[in-house]
Amino acid sequence: MTRESPLPRLLTGAARRARGGLRRGDRLLQQIQARWAPSTPLSDARALLAEFSPEHPAIPTCSSTAAPGVTVLGSLHPGSLFGGTATVMALGASLAEGLDRPLRVVETLSHRTAPDVVAAIRELGVSVDPRRVELVDMSWRRDHEVAPLPLHPRELVVTSAWWDTAVAARLPLETPVIQLIQDDERIFYPASDEELAVARTFALASTLPVFNTEVLRDHFAHTEFAALARRGISFEPSVLRPPEPHPGTERLLFFYARPQVARNLFALGLEALDRASTDPALAGWTLVMAGDAELPDLTLDGGQRLTNLGKLGLREYRTLIGRAAVALSPMLAPHPNYPTLEVAQAGARVVTTAWGRKTDLSRYGEVTVAPARVGALRDALVAACARHDAGVPVTSGAALPSTWPEAFAPVLARVREVIS
């Protein structure tokens, strides 16, 4: 490969994140030094430690309101309203509409401008009555402050991030927290306090687990959290689709490139694509990557230019998945990521990575699940491009739901049973 290497920037980013973690640890030590005297009772020490968490440490209070609604803990930041973040918002809105309840979104991140909740939810294809939607800003919370949040005892609280689940589980509610599980979040924090904190949320008995894909539920069914999988329910998501039917003729390979998201295996994918570029099967193909605005264009060893399209908007992204004949979408996780599902449902071939029991995704289309090794990904890419050029029809899978309310229909039915 030639052109400027992204590696120094990636290492700088990793160092910056490490420094941030050290600063958080230093602040905690300073708190301890400032507030703990040699005679501090152990109960006070525990209280101080209980106030410290990576994200949202304050616990909302719970009180009665006129009628129960649906409250979503999350964020409507314009830069993050996709993938898993969009899914939890769509789930909350679909439950509110299906149960004829008001919807409240508790904003947990700080923004310069208040997001348009109704517009954001409608963009996801869920109809809501703007008179029954409320945004509550709690991004101002700090370590030692309590954020009052009036709730009906039978409020349905929907969470996705583990720290939000941990907070919601401590509320005196009469109904279970709707715990949307979209990953095995333990893998984000190996060998750490956070890993154990995530595990505690999976061990909660007071939630209704909702798994994003049956593939992910099957993963949990074969871990120490098998009980979580047994009492939970899964759904298949509604994914973005191209604006026009896939023509299936353009020799375009799309690499989902997100170097700042470790589980997307940018370095592994890039090396595999670089090696595949020297094979005659990729001669004359157009190679593009998208997902990061700062990556430079690269010239691969096979001579092809790998063009970076940047961080695309939804319209541009939908157009891209409607053009690509082959996609490389690595994902070192126990579930398929959205680009894998979206490109497969669009009618193209996808190469992704295996994880544990995630070895077969043919239910979604022509998806090759390869071991997370350079040679395996390289061979899978070469085979996919060769099949395209040979005119082999793309294997189709079961169609995913066309709308979020359709996707969440089984979840809504289960929730009705639980709260009746």
Side-chain angles (χ1 to χ4, degrees):
M1 274 177 291
T2 58
R3 303 290 189 271
E4 176 189 353
S5 170
L7 187 58
R9 183 176 66 82
L10 301 182
L11 293 177
T12 301
R16 186 168 57 250
R17 291 192 293 275
R19 288 195 298 270
L22 291 174
R23 283 196 295 270
R24 288 194 296 273
D26 288 343
R27 285 198 297 270
L28 176 61
L29 290 175
Q30 291 168 4
Q31 290 177 357
I32 292 173
Q33 292 168 354
R35 294 180 57 184
W36 286 9
S39 59
T40 298
L42 182 59
S43 59
D44 290 350
R46 286 177 177 147
L48 177 57
L49 286 173
E51 290 172 349
F52 176 78
S53 69
E55 289 289 341
H56 315 306
I59 301 172
T61 58
C62 186
S63 62
S64 178
T65 55
V70 174
T71 294
V72 180
L73 301 185
S75 174
L76 279 170
H77 190 284
S80 63
L81 193 60
F82 60 90
T85 304
T87 303
V88 69
M89 292 298 163
L91 173 59
S94 297
L95 290 176
E97 285 298 293
L99 298 170
D100 192 25
R101 289 188 175 195
L103 172 67
R104 174 168 46 184
V105 175
V106 177
E107 180 61 64
T108 57
L109 298 178
S110 178
H111 310 305
R112 292 182 179 178
T113 58
D116 187 333
V117 180
V118 174
I121 292 173
R122 286 177 174 172
E123 182 72 17
L124 298 173
V126 183
S127 62
V128 289
D129 183 347
R131 297 167 298 181
R132 305 185 73 191
V133 178
E134 178 187 10
L135 174 67
V136 179
D137 183 9
M138 288 196 171
S139 61
W140 51 267
R141 295 186 297 168
R142 295 298 180 267
D143 284 356
H144 309 299
E145 298 172 337
V146 173
L149 180 65
L151 293 171
H152 191 280
R154 294 188 62 78
E155 189 85 1
L156 276 181
V157 177
V158 181
T159 67
S160 182
W162 69 266
W163 50 82
D164 288 333
T165 302
V167 167
R170 300 173 69 176
L171 297 174
L173 297 170
E174 298 174 6
T175 53
V177 172
I178 309 301
Q179 181 183 13
L180 176 59
I181 299 175
Q182 307 196 72
D183 214 321
D184 190 338
E185 292 173 282
R186 294 175 297 171
I187 65 179
F188 303 156
Y189 317 96
S192 67
D193 283 326
E194 288 87 352
E195 179 187 6
L196 299 179
V198 174
R200 287 194 290 272
T201 66
F202 291 153
L204 291 169
S206 58
T207 67
L208 174 59
V210 177
F211 294 91
N212 190 343
T213 73
E214 179 59 25
V215 174
L216 183 60
R217 183 172 179 266
D218 178 70
H219 160 77
F220 277 94
H222 292 82
T223 68
E224 63 268 40
F225 301 109
L228 185 77
R230 285 195 298 270
R231 63 185 176 85
I233 185 172
S234 67
F235 68 92
E236 298 299 330
S238 174
V239 298
L240 294 173
R241 288 171 167 79
E244 302 292 338
H246 198 289
T249 55
E250 189 170 358
R251 301 175 79 223
L252 175 69
L253 191 155
F254 160 43
F255 173 30
Y256 184 56
R258 293 209 297 171
Q260 300 300 330
V261 181
R263 62 191 181 278
N264 286 134
L265 303 176
F266 171 74
L268 180 74
L270 184 59
E271 180 68 19
L273 185 56
D274 191 41
R275 293 194 187 182
S277 70
T278 63
D279 192 280
L282 270 72
W285 278 68
T286 299
L287 309 180
V288 300
M289 57 182 170
D292 186 281
E294 299 180 25
L295 289 172
D297 294 347
L298 299 168
T299 299
L300 303 182
D301 281 352
Q304 302 96 322
R305 186 178 183 84
L306 177 59
T307 302
N308 182 28
L309 302 180
K311 195 170 179 62
L312 302 178
L314 290 181
R315 180 175 300 177
E316 293 81 8
Y317 174 73
R318 291 174 61 222
T319 299
L320 174 61
I321 64 175
R323 294 174 53 206
V326 174
L328 172 59
S329 179
M331 185 65 172
L332 198 64
H335 62 90
N337 59 349
Y338 276 98
T340 293
L341 300 179
E342 287 157 349
V343 176
Q345 289 283 297
R349 294 178 168 90
V350 186
V351 175
T352 188
T353 47
W355 168 282
R357 294 179 58 82
K358 189 191 73 175
T359 58
D360 183 359
L361 297 177
S362 59
R363 71 184 74 183
Y364 301 112
E366 190 165 332
V367 182
T368 300
V369 183
R373 297 193 299 268
V374 171
L377 288 179
R378 179 260 179 208
D379 292 346
L381 286 171
V382 169
C385 292
R387 286 173 62 83
H388 173 83
D389 286 345
V392 179
V394 176
T395 303
S396 61
L400 291 176
S402 58
T403 66
W404 281 115
E406 179 187 349
F408 292 129
V411 179
L412 177 60
R414 180 69 173 275
V415 170
R416 289 185 192 277
E417 293 177 2
V418 170
I419 66 176
S420 61

